[in-house]
């Protein structure tokens, strides 16, 4: 069986990504109510009872809101580092001891037929992480909520078959928009979010042009548009010699629902 991936939703109002292999079903983040995540899973015909784990990137509510409810309701293990557990305690409430899985960032986790590598990212949270998942020869990288990608991260995510990449804002829209300057500076800081231009630059360095799937994620509702994010990244990759129509599959996530099921 191939690996299946579906972005159930991605944006500042909530985030949840579904990954399925031959023997494992997981979600990364649960940033909606338990009821909403149940609805989203139902749309792709997945029973929440069948989930093997919830991986949490960081404690912000748009990533953790439904974690506790789902874990308690369906007896699902939750994986997060110690600082994230502390940071989301007031949001998720109690999780059964046997479902409280505390990992060390940058140390691999084995979960049935998936090898999980959580790695540090740069965001204004306690200890935010991205995830690289390995299943046989398939490699998937998930990076959102970071304002900076260093050379070490680029090296880690290179040679992935699937990239879930933050493309949060258009710099011009952000600077000309109504946000207060303090918030604009926070978003553009190394502990904020990647812009469309940042996403294009990073992808141009890590892609090989071997039919990788790229999903642009976590778009700002106020400071970005799907067509603008897509065109900025596409043009950035074209300028670096990629044939976007043939070398890779560039697509968008949806902030309000699922955005297709991808098989690798």
């Amino acid at each position: 069986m191939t690996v299946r991936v579906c972005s159930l939703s991605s944006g500042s109002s909530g985030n949840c990504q579904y990954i399925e292999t031959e023997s494992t079903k997981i979600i990364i983040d649960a940033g909606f109510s338990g009821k909403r995540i149940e609805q989203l899973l139902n749309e792709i015909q997945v029973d929440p009872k069948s989930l093997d784990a919830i991986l949490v990137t960081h404690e912000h509510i748009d990533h953790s809101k439904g974690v506790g409810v789902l874990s308690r309701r369906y007896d699902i293990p939750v994986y997060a580092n110690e600082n994230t557990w502390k940071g989301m305690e007031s949001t998720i409430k109690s999780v059964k001891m046997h479902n409280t899985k505390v990992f060390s960032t940058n140390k691999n986790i084995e979960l049935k037929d998936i090898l999980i590598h959580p790695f540090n990212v740069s965001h204004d949270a306690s200890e935010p992480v991205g995830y690289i998942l390995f299943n046989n020869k398939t490699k998937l990288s998930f990076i959102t909520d970071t304002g900076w990608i260093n050379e070490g991260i680029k090296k880690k995510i290179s040679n992935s078959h699937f990239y879930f990449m933050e493309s949060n804002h258009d710099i011009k829209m952000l600077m000309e928009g109504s946000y207060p300057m303090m918030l604009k500076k926070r978003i553009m800081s190394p502990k904020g979010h990647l812009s469309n231009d940042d996403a294009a630059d990073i992808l141009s360095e890590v892609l090989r042009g071997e039919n990788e799937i790229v999903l642009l994620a976590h778009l700002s509702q106020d400071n970005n548009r799907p067509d603008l994010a897509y065109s900025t990244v596409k043009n950035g990759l074209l300028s670096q010699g990629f044939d976007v129509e043939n070398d890779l599959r560039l697509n968008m996530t949806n902030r309000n629902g699922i955005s297709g099921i991808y098989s690798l």
Side-chain angles (χ1 to χ4, degrees), residues 3 9 20 22 34 39 56 62 80 91 96-97 104 110 139 149 156 159 165 185 200 204-205 226 230 243-244:
V3 179
S9 285
E20 176 183 341
E22 184 175 1
Q39 292 170 341
V56 185
D62 58 322
T91 299
K96 291 179 180 178
M97 185 63 70
S104 297
E110 292 187 23
K139 179 179 179 181
I149 298 290
K156 284 189 176 189
N159 300 315
M165 176 65 66
K185 288 181 178 179
S204 69
E205 292 188 50
Y230 182 88
D243 181 347
V244 178

Coordinates of all heavy atoms in Angstrom, one line a residue, residues 3 9 20 22 34 39 56 62 80 91 96-97 104 110 139 149 156 159 165 185 200 204-205 226 230 243-244:
V3 N 1.6 5.4 0.8 CA 1.3 6.3 1.8 C 0.2 7.3 1.3 O 0.3 7.8 0.2 CB 2.5 7.1 2.3 CG1 2.2 8.1 3.4 CG2 3.6 6.2 2.7
S9 N -7.3 20.6 7.1 CA -7.4 22.0 7.1 C -6.0 22.6 7.6 O -5.3 22.0 8.4 CB -8.5 22.5 8.1 OG -9.8 22.3 7.5
E20 N -1.7 8.2 6.4 CA -2.0 6.7 6.5 C -1.0 5.9 5.8 O -0.7 6.2 4.6 CB -3.4 6.5 6.0 CG -3.9 5.1 6.0 CD -5.2 4.9 5.4 OE1 -6.0 5.9 5.3 OE2 -5.5 3.7 5.0
E22 N 0.3 1.5 5.5 CA -0.4 0.1 5.4 C -0.9 -0.3 6.8 O -2.0 -0.9 6.9 CB 0.6 -0.9 5.0 CG 0.1 -2.3 4.8 CD 1.0 -3.3 4.2 OE1 2.2 -2.9 4.0 OE2 0.6 -4.5 4.0
G34 N -13.1 18.7 18.8 CA -13.2 17.3 18.5 C -14.3 17.0 17.4 O -14.1 16.2 16.5
Q39 N -15.8 15.4 11.8 CA -16.5 15.6 10.6 C -15.5 15.6 9.4 O -15.8 15.0 8.3 CB -17.1 17.0 10.6 CG -18.3 17.1 11.6 CD -18.8 18.5 11.8 OE1 -18.1 19.5 11.5 NE2 -20.0 18.7 12.2
V56 N 1.8 16.5 18.0 CA 1.6 17.9 18.2 C 2.8 18.7 17.9 O 3.9 18.3 18.4 CB 1.1 18.2 19.6 CG1 0.8 19.7 19.8 CG2 -0.1 17.3 20.0
D62 N -4.6 26.9 17.7 CA -4.9 26.4 16.4 C -4.2 25.1 16.0 O -4.4 24.6 14.9 CB -4.7 27.5 15.4 CG -3.2 28.0 15.3 OD1 -2.6 28.1 16.4 OD2 -2.7 28.3 14.2
A80 N 4.2 14.6 22.1 CA 4.7 15.9 22.1 C 5.9 16.0 23.0 O 6.1 15.1 23.9 CB 3.7 16.9 22.6
T91 N -5.1 24.0 27.8 CA -6.0 23.9 26.6 C -6.5 22.5 26.5 O -7.8 22.3 26.3 CB -5.2 24.2 25.3 OG1 -4.7 25.5 25.4 CG2 -6.1 24.0 24.1
K96 N -5.0 10.6 29.6 CA -4.6 9.4 30.4 C -3.1 9.1 30.3 O -2.5 9.4 29.3 CB -5.4 8.2 29.8 CG -6.9 8.2 30.1 CD -7.6 7.0 29.6 CE -9.1 7.1 29.9 NZ -9.8 5.9 29.3
M97 N -2.6 8.6 31.4 CA -1.1 8.4 31.5 C -0.6 7.6 30.4 O 0.5 7.9 29.8 CB -0.8 7.8 32.8 CG 0.7 7.7 33.1 SD 1.5 9.3 33.2 CE 0.9 9.9 34.7
S104 N 11.8 13.4 23.0 CA 12.9 14.4 23.0 C 13.1 14.8 21.5 O 13.2 14.0 20.6 CB 14.2 13.7 23.5 OG 14.1 13.3 24.8
E110 N 9.7 5.5 16.9 CA 9.1 4.4 16.0 C 7.7 4.1 16.4 O 7.3 3.9 17.5 CB 10.0 3.1 16.2 CG 11.4 3.2 15.7 CD 12.1 1.9 15.8 OE1 11.4 0.8 15.8 OE2 13.4 1.9 15.7
K139 N 9.6 9.5 2.1 CA 9.9 10.5 3.1 C 9.0 11.7 2.9 O 8.8 12.2 1.9 CB 11.4 10.9 2.9 CG 11.9 12.0 3.9 CD 13.4 12.3 3.6 CE 13.9 13.4 4.5 NZ 15.3 13.7 4.2
I149 N 14.3 29.0 8.4 CA 14.7 27.6 8.1 C 16.2 27.7 7.9 O 16.7 28.3 6.9 CB 14.1 27.1 6.8 CG1 12.6 27.0 6.9 CG2 14.7 25.7 6.4 CD1 12.1 25.9 7.9
K156 N 18.1 18.3 6.5 CA 17.2 17.2 7.0 C 16.0 16.9 6.1 O 15.7 15.8 5.9 CB 16.6 17.6 8.4 CG 17.6 17.5 9.5 CD 17.0 17.6 10.9 CE 18.0 17.4 12.0 NZ 17.4 17.3 13.3
N159 N 15.5 15.7 -0.2 CA 15.2 14.4 -0.7 C 13.9 13.8 -0.2 O 13.7 12.6 -0.2 CB 16.4 13.4 -0.4 CG 17.7 13.8 -1.0 OD1 17.7 14.2 -2.1 ND2 18.7 13.8 -0.2
M165 N 4.6 22.7 3.3 CA 5.5 23.9 3.5 C 4.7 25.1 3.8 O 3.8 25.5 3.0 CB 6.4 24.1 2.3 CG 7.2 25.3 2.3 SD 8.5 25.3 3.6 CE 9.6 24.0 3.0
K185 N 5.9 43.0 12.7 CA 7.3 42.6 13.0 C 7.4 41.2 13.6 O 8.3 40.5 13.3 CB 7.9 43.6 14.0 CG 8.1 45.0 13.4 CD 8.7 46.0 14.3 CE 9.0 47.3 13.7 NZ 9.6 48.3 14.7
A200 N 9.3 29.9 -1.5 CA 9.9 29.7 -2.8 C 11.4 29.5 -2.7 O 11.9 28.5 -3.4 CB 9.6 30.9 -3.7
S204 N 13.3 25.9 -3.6 CA 14.2 25.9 -4.7 C 15.5 25.2 -4.3 O 16.3 24.7 -5.2 CB 14.4 27.3 -5.2 OG 15.2 28.1 -4.3
E205 N 15.8 25.2 -3.0 CA 17.1 24.6 -2.5 C 16.9 23.1 -2.2 O 17.9 22.4 -2.3 CB 17.6 25.4 -1.3 CG 18.0 26.8 -1.5 CD 18.7 27.4 -0.3 OE1 19.6 26.8 0.3 OE2 18.3 28.5 0.1
P226 N -4.7 32.4 -1.9 CA -4.2 31.1 -2.5 C -3.5 31.4 -3.8 O -2.5 30.8 -4.1 CB -5.4 30.3 -2.6 CG -6.3 30.7 -1.4 CD -6.0 32.2 -1.4
Y230 N 0.4 30.7 -4.6 CA 0.8 29.7 -5.7 C 1.6 30.4 -6.7 O 2.7 29.8 -7.1 CB -0.5 29.2 -6.3 CG -0.2 28.2 -7.4 CD1 -0.1 26.8 -7.1 CD2 -0.1 28.5 -8.7 CE1 0.1 25.9 -8.0 CE2 0.1 27.6 -9.7 CZ 0.2 26.3 -9.4 OH 0.5 25.3 -10.4
D243 N 10.8 23.1 -14.0 CA 9.6 23.0 -14.8 C 8.4 22.6 -13.9 O 8.2 21.4 -13.6 CB 9.8 22.0 -15.9 CG 8.6 21.8 -16.9 OD1 7.6 22.4 -16.5 OD2 8.8 21.2 -17.9
V244 N 7.7 23.6 -13.4 CA 6.7 23.3 -12.4 C 5.6 22.4 -12.9 O 5.0 21.7 -12.1 CB 6.1 24.7 -11.9 CG1 5.1 24.4 -10.8 CG2 7.3 25.5 -11.3

